[in-house]
Amino acid sequence: MKIQAINGFKDILPDNAGLWRRVEQLARNIFDRFGLREIRMPILEKTELFTRSIGAATDVVEKEMYTFADKGITMRPEATASIMRAFIEHGLHVRQPVQRLYTIGPMFRHERPQKGRLRQFHQLNAEVIGAAEPHVDAELIAMGRMLLDELDLQASLELNSLGCPACRPPFKTDLIHYLEQRLEGLCSDCQRRTHTNPMRVLDCKKTSCRQLVLEAPSMLTALCADCDEHFQAVQGALRNLDITFRLNPFMVRGLDYYTRTTFEFLTTDLGAQAAVGAGGRYDGLIEQLGGPSLGGIGFAMGLERLVLLLEQRDHSEHLGADTTDFALVSLGTTIDAVSLLAHHLRRQGCRAAIDYSGRSLKAQLKQADRARARFALIIGDDEWTRGEAVLRNMRTQQQQPFPLSGSPEQQSQRLAELLRSQPD
Ligand code: HAM
């Protein structure tokens, strides 16, 4: 029987990998403009890291983690907790009090797979640790917006504040009181959440629950003076950067570590999976994990979702680019000379392809075309004897002689110069 990939785990095939690279490169470039530096962490962490940060009563920890129970380790479902673990473990703040970090890589959650939702998915993850100023929140959100803009993707921005340990507990008590009186109208998940994680009820997608929470107490009117001032300043700083947003007091996020500012970038083009990116502030998290009393804010964007949006917008974009500069066509006995020339071309930084099959000229040119080669260089026995190859421009179909004079290295230099002199 054929062995296939696991449900929810997907291959990224070569035709598609270029688009992935483009998004990743642009993200790195933008992160660099904002002064973020890359950090890479292991995929496996102690399970306790996630239960203590994401929260034991969240969907992610309750039902979605890939855990090796006998070893007490888990495949990371997100990157923020791991970054904080590394930050604390290496005392990063000692050398540089404000750490601006990013990481790109796979995450694992055992969710029901559907369009834009996988069990192994990839995130672009950005964090600014050690700065509590509202302008930092706005700058980070603006960075996410810049990435979407430069990818030419439309997404709306929703903003909320989840308060702090001073104002959230009394709000939660009020909310529980409100929900308890309407328990029968809630879905079974929300009936349970009313006592385990009442804020999540505000975020339930079921119509009956959405209807019921419309009149529920709002965190935005329950913020303490400090949180309110912070949130107003974040909004002001966003307006200053010309970033439009909509307040959504029902957005609570699925991870427990958030405080104050939270936000989501939403699209209407991915069916049920509306969030292309999301994040927020987590001011108590580092201390909770045994580190210094420093806050932070960050976000993550789903790479699969970004790539899907780009593909939907332009089906052929990722197929458009040339993949080879020179396809070398050898006919007859010239294969050693041709492979040596290909080797030198690659040393010159050119992309060279070579067909070792000795197939007909027609078949090899067809293959060069399929590989979207810029030029074909034909060196059969006749050309070799004459000391003159045929250089065919695959775009214009025009052919010109190419003298095989000088050493293979010199020939490759002339070909590389010729390539550089061509318009893109
Ligand atoms: P999150 O909302 O769980 O936040 O995930 C962020 C983004 O990852 C989502 O908006 C979505 O684009 C993508 N994503 C999540 N789950 C899946 C999935 N199963 N399949 C495909 N894409 C998915 C976090 O993970 C936080 N760590 C973000 C953060 C960073 N907060 C502060 N710093």
Side-chain angles (χ1 to χ4, degrees):
M1 210 177 78
K2 265 193 309 190
I3 299 174
Q4 296 193 323
I6 309 165
N7 190 18
F9 289 67
K10 235 171 121 180
D11 301 307
I12 298 158
L13 298 176
D15 265 350
N16 213 232
L19 199 54
W20 278 73
R21 253 196 333 265
R22 214 190 95 200
V23 178
E24 286 170 12
Q25 274 164 4
L26 180 64
R28 285 177 192 281
N29 178 291
I30 290 179
F31 293 157
D32 192 40
R33 285 183 239 168
F34 283 76
L36 274 68
R37 296 191 308 152
E38 185 176 16
I39 179 168
R40 301 186 191 197
M41 301 81 56
I43 281 166
L44 289 169
E45 296 275 2
K46 296 200 175 125
T47 305
E48 196 192 347
L49 173 65
F50 302 117
T51 45
R52 270 173 54 189
S53 56
I54 297 173
T58 54
D59 283 355
V60 173
V61 169
E62 266 183 357
K63 16 184 195 192
E64 295 169 3
M65 294 208 304
Y66 284 91
T67 294
F68 300 88
D70 56 334
K71 300 193 173 61
I73 55 181
T74 289
M75 292 169 78
R76 61 180 187 195
E78 57 112 52
T80 309
S82 305
I83 293 183
M84 298 313 133
R85 196 261 315 131
F87 172 87
I88 298 167
E89 187 169 333
H90 302 284
L92 293 185
H93 60 291
V94 177
R95 263 196 295 156
Q96 170 66 263
V98 178
Q99 287 285 331
R100 304 164 77 84
L101 303 170
Y102 78 87
T103 198
I104 301 177
M107 311 292 152
F108 303 85
R109 294 185 197 173
H110 192 266
E111 295 187 83
R112 199 167 44 77
Q114 54 175 235
K115 183 178 173 187
R117 187 163 74 194
L118 288 119
R119 290 179 170 170
Q120 175 175 333
F121 60 99
H122 299 75
Q123 283 185 342
L124 304 167
N125 194 103
E127 314 284 349
V128 179
I129 309 168
E133 297 86 354
H135 275 95
V136 174
D137 302 33
E139 187 192 41
L140 185 95
I141 294 172
M143 182 173 74
R145 168 58 78 201
M146 194 176 286
L147 177 58
L148 294 169
D149 282 350
E150 292 193 19
L151 288 170
D152 209 6
L153 292 177
Q154 307 292 323
S156 59
L157 170 64
E158 296 200 344
L159 194 67
N160 193 19
S161 174
L162 293 179
C164 69
C167 51
R168 194 152 50 184
F171 168 74
K172 263 193 188 174
T173 311
D174 283 356
L175 181 63
I176 293 174
H177 184 66
Y178 174 90
L179 295 172
E180 275 173 341
Q181 289 170 343
R182 292 158 181 83
L183 222 47
E184 275 146 39
L186 295 172
C187 72
S188 55
D189 271 345
C190 285
Q191 288 181 355
R192 189 173 44 84
R193 285 181 190 136
T194 296
H195 293 104
T196 56
N197 200 347
M199 307 274 285
R200 279 316 300 245
V201 180
L202 296 176
D203 194 26
C204 182
K205 301 287 175 280
K206 305 229 170 65
T207 330
S208 53
C209 298
R210 287 176 83 144
Q211 209 57 37
L212 261 178
V213 299
L214 279 178
E215 304 282 303
S218 162
M219 186 71 230
L220 287 183
T221 52
L223 293 176
C224 63
D226 281 352
C227 286
D228 191 45
E229 192 187 329
H230 191 272
F231 194 47
Q232 296 303 332
V234 171
Q235 295 175 56
L238 282 171
R239 287 192 202 99
N240 181 49
L241 297 177
D242 212 12
I243 307 283
T244 40
F245 58 88
R246 190 179 80 86
L247 292 184
N248 177 4
F250 298 107
M251 182 216 304
V252 294
R253 314 280 301 116
L255 314 159
D256 275 359
Y257 50 63
Y258 289 115
T259 53
R260 296 192 165 174
T261 318
T262 53
F263 56 96
E264 289 184 345
F265 289 104
L266 302 172
T267 170
T268 48
D269 300 331
L270 284 179
Q273 302 311 311
V276 271
R281 187 161 271 292
Y282 41 83
D283 286 346
L285 176 60
I286 296 173
E287 209 169 359
Q288 198 178 308
L289 290 173
S293 168
L294 289 171
I297 181 164
F299 70 76
M301 290 203 185
L303 266 164
E304 280 77 5
R305 295 187 188 174
L306 293 174
V307 168
L308 261 173
L309 288 169
L310 291 170
E311 279 174 346
Q312 279 176 200
R313 199 191 55 204
D314 186 348
H315 295 287
S316 57
E317 191 178 14
H318 57 295
L319 297 174
D322 297 337
T323 55
T324 298
D325 298 319
F326 294 99
L328 286 108
V329 178
S330 157
L331 299 161
T333 54
T334 56
I335 195 70
D336 278 340
V338 171
S339 62
L340 183 61
L341 180 56
H343 193 62
H344 280 290
L345 277 170
R346 291 167 182 151
R347 279 194 170 148
Q348 294 294 327
C350 300
R351 297 172 298 178
I354 183 162
D355 187 335
Y356 292 105
S357 70
R359 287 186 292 175
S360 70
L361 174 65
K362 197 170 153 212
Q364 292 199 41
L365 283 178
K366 203 165 157 195
Q367 172 56 29
D369 198 41
R370 213 177 295 142
R372 295 189 296 282
R374 192 77 177 75
F375 290 97
L377 186 71
I378 304 159
I379 309 179
D381 287 347
D382 287 350
E383 286 79 11
W384 187 248
T385 319
R386 257 198 337 255
E388 198 174 77
V390 175
L391 184 67
R392 181 185 176 95
N393 184 323
M394 297 298 285
R395 284 191 199 158
T396 62
Q397 309 294 320
Q398 277 175 350
Q399 301 199 152
Q400 65 184 88
F402 177 79
L404 294 169
S405 52
S407 67
E409 190 179 356
Q410 289 164 334
Q411 292 168 24
S412 68
Q413 280 164 356
R414 278 190 281 128
L415 286 167
E417 274 162 30
L418 187 132
L419 181 74
R420 278 194 286 272
S421 69
Q422 295 292 310
D424 269 341

